[in-house]
Amino acid sequence: MSILIKPIITEKATADSELNNCYTFAVNTKANKVEIKKAVEATYGVSVEKVRTINVRPDRSTKYTKTGIQHGKTNAVKKAIVQLAEGEMIDLYANM
């Protein structure tokens, strides 16, 4: 089971990383804060101060087509906002 799925690189997440030294990751939905902290420290070699998690609900949609009503939904995602110790940083754009 992989804890970290991918870093989230959006305008809001990038501003948060530059101003507050917080990085956002998409993580496994079953992972807890302790597992996320250990995974980030092991993967990037940094010390983590705080981890905040967000469960994002799936979006449901209805489409009206020739064949009838089609129902669908997106996948549920869990995000983790990780705050690093002062002076530490993660270079998400470097080739590993």
Side-chain angles (χ1 to χ4, degrees):
M1 173 172 97
S2 178
I3 304 291
L4 299 176
I5 297 172
K6 64 180 179 180
I8 296 175
I9 301 172
T10 60
E11 198 170 332
K12 185 176 181 180
T14 305
D16 203 25
S17 67
E18 291 171 356
L19 299 175
N20 302 325
N21 207 21
C22 294
Y23 296 87
T24 307
F25 296 93
V27 296
N28 191 325
T29 54
K30 303 222 186 259
N32 60 33
K33 292 181 180 185
V34 176
E35 293 172 339
I36 294 167
K37 180 178 178 177
K38 288 179 182 176
V40 170
E41 287 177 344
T43 305
Y44 295 104
V46 294
S47 58
V48 175
E49 279 187 358
K50 185 174 16 175
V51 177
R52 293 174 288 170
T53 57
I54 305 164
N55 283 311
V56 181
R57 64 174 167 71
D59 291 330
R60 298 185 185 279
S61 64
T62 304
K63 295 177 187 171
Y64 300 95
T65 63
K66 287 184 200 175
T67 57
I69 299 174
Q70 301 292 322
H71 298 285
K73 68 177 185 73
T74 60
N75 293 330
V77 180
K78 188 171 193 175
K79 295 181 187 177
I81 300 172
V82 178
Q83 184 170 2
L84 302 182
E86 206 163 318
E88 306 254 344
M89 71 176 273
I90 297 174
D91 189 10
L92 297 174
Y93 300 106
N95 294 333
M96 291 194 166

